[in-house]
Amino acid sequence: LVYEATKRLFDLGMAGLLLLFFAPIFVLTALLVRMDSRGPILFRQTRIGKEGRPFVMYKFRSMHTSHCGSDFSPISHADTRITRVGRFLRKSSLDELPQLINVLKGDMSLVGPRPEMPFIVDQYGSLERQRLQAKPGITGLWQLSADRRFLIHENIQYDLYYVDNRGLFLDFAILLHTFLFAMHGV
């Protein structure tokens, strides 16, 4: 209970500060998305959160609107569904910035398992459902792993480890590593 309350306060404070800090990048990114292709600036998609509750996750749109939907996400930057600006947004992870809004709303945390799409969660067995014990996060162990070339649901061991061992120290370590990887362009 103390961990959850402390984590929520940290999430609120950091998400608020990051939104203020990245406000100019938000505006520039919105303009680039709008100029690059037709459609909305933000991509909204239903994902499954803690305890199986659905929520709408936000990202900067990186794909052509005719291809945005409930299919598996592209795993290659050469995927034709991705726009020119979208390639840069995905490579730099700038497409993820609007998820800070999800953190403020309480749907997500800064650190946790990645939220999955409903059609994938519908196929979960009891082992995979354990992922839903924690609030989903913008970053997590899977994002830092060498196994990112595989789909999230094919690498549940990272999320299960996080669920079983979550705590402030692990959260801070994941955030620090995420920041260091981002600084090195990984």
Side-chain angles (χ1 to χ4, degrees), residues 46-48 52-54 70 72 116-126 128-129 131-132 153:
T46 300
R47 296 291 179 106
I48 303 299
R53 287 190 297 263
S70 298
F72 288 105
E116 282 282 18
M117 292 178 273
F119 80 94
I120 294 173
V121 175
D122 287 345
Q123 299 172 28
Y124 277 5
S126 58
E128 293 90 353
R129 289 194 101 42
R131 295 178 79 246
L132 304 176
H153 61 276

Side-chain angles (χ1 to χ4, degrees), residues 1-9 168:
L1 189 59
V2 171
Y3 163 70
E4 293 291 333
T6 304
K7 181 174 180 154
R8 181 68 183 134
L9 286 173
L168 293 176

Side-chain angles (χ1 to χ4, degrees), residues 19-82:
L19 280 169
L20 284 173
F21 180 77
F22 286 116
I25 293 173
F26 263 77
V27 172
L28 179 61
T29 303
L31 289 171
L32 290 172
V33 169
R34 174 66 75 198
M35 290 173 19
D36 186 45
S37 63
R38 301 184 100 155
I41 293 168
L42 291 181
F43 172 67
R44 296 167 178 86
Q45 186 177 57
T46 300
R47 296 291 179 106
I48 303 299
K50 186 175 180 181
E51 299 172 6
R53 287 190 297 263
F55 70 96
V56 176
M57 186 179 77
Y58 305 106
K59 294 176 83 169
F60 282 117
R61 185 175 54 79
S62 61
M63 295 187 349
H64 296 284
T65 55
S66 60
H67 297 290
C68 292
S70 298
D71 198 4
F72 288 105
S73 297
I75 55 173
S76 166
H77 292 293
D79 193 306
T80 59
R81 297 177 291 172
I82 303 173

Side-chain angles (χ1 to χ4, degrees), residues 129-147:
R129 289 194 101 42
Q130 292 176 34
R131 295 178 79 246
L132 304 176
Q133 293 175 15
K135 191 178 285 190
I138 295 175
T139 190
L141 288 175
W142 175 78
Q143 289 88 325
L144 301 175
S145 77
D147 291 328

